[in-house]
Amino acid sequence: MQYQKLDNVAGWATMTRMSAAEKIAPEISETLTWRQICEQYPDQWVCVVEVARASPNAFEILAARVIGHGKTRPAPFEQARAWHATYELIGHYYTGKLKPPVPRYPRIVMTDELRDLVRSRW
């Protein structure tokens, strides 16, 4: 039986050349219903694959597999990057309730008094 000496410089250099993607294996969940996804990843952005829908054009997701998740919008894309070669379509969804954006302009409520002031006087 022959043993390789690993304490030499060349052996050590080849052992430590793993990239971050090789060190952390990409994870994929088992098939979950949308309710289970929302319970497991509350108020998070998720990237999903193998999406099952009631009909081809329906928006509602019946079941899917999660390949990435995170609190910020871009976070699941980093995790899903390893799966781009495997899956052609990757969905990106939010499991919580989205808040509408705050309007950047003041709102004007038209009351009877304002309407009378604005109305042209001919």
Side-chain angles (χ1 to χ4, degrees), residues 25-43:
E27 294 182 17
I28 187 167
S29 73
E30 66 276 359
T31 302
L32 302 169
T33 65
W34 181 248
R35 176 175 278 167
Q36 291 171 326
I37 292 171
C38 291
E39 289 171 358
Q40 197 165 348
Y41 309 102
D43 298 323

Side-chain angles (χ1 to χ4, degrees), residues 2 9 16 44-45 52 58 60 77-78 84 88 101 103 111 117-118:
Q2 206 174 25
V9 176
T16 58
Q44 292 188 36
W45 289 93
E60 183 181 353
F77 286 117
E78 291 298 319
H84 281 272
E88 186 176 319
T111 61
L117 288 172
V118 175

Side-chain angles (χ1 to χ4, degrees), residues 6-15 17:
L6 294 177
D7 59 347
N8 64 16
V9 176
W12 180 254
T14 57
M15 285 177 46
R17 283 192 195 146

Side-chain angles (χ1 to χ4, degrees), residues 39-81:
E39 289 171 358
Q40 197 165 348
Y41 309 102
D43 298 323
Q44 292 188 36
W45 289 93
V46 293
C47 281
V48 294
V49 294
E50 299 178 17
V51 178
R53 301 180 187 273
S55 66
N57 295 327
F59 183 75
E60 183 181 353
I61 297 172
L62 299 178
R65 296 179 76 182
V66 178
I67 58 171
H69 64 90
K71 291 284 184 185
T72 62
R73 196 174 210 156
F77 286 117
E78 291 298 319
Q79 299 167 23
R81 184 172 291 161

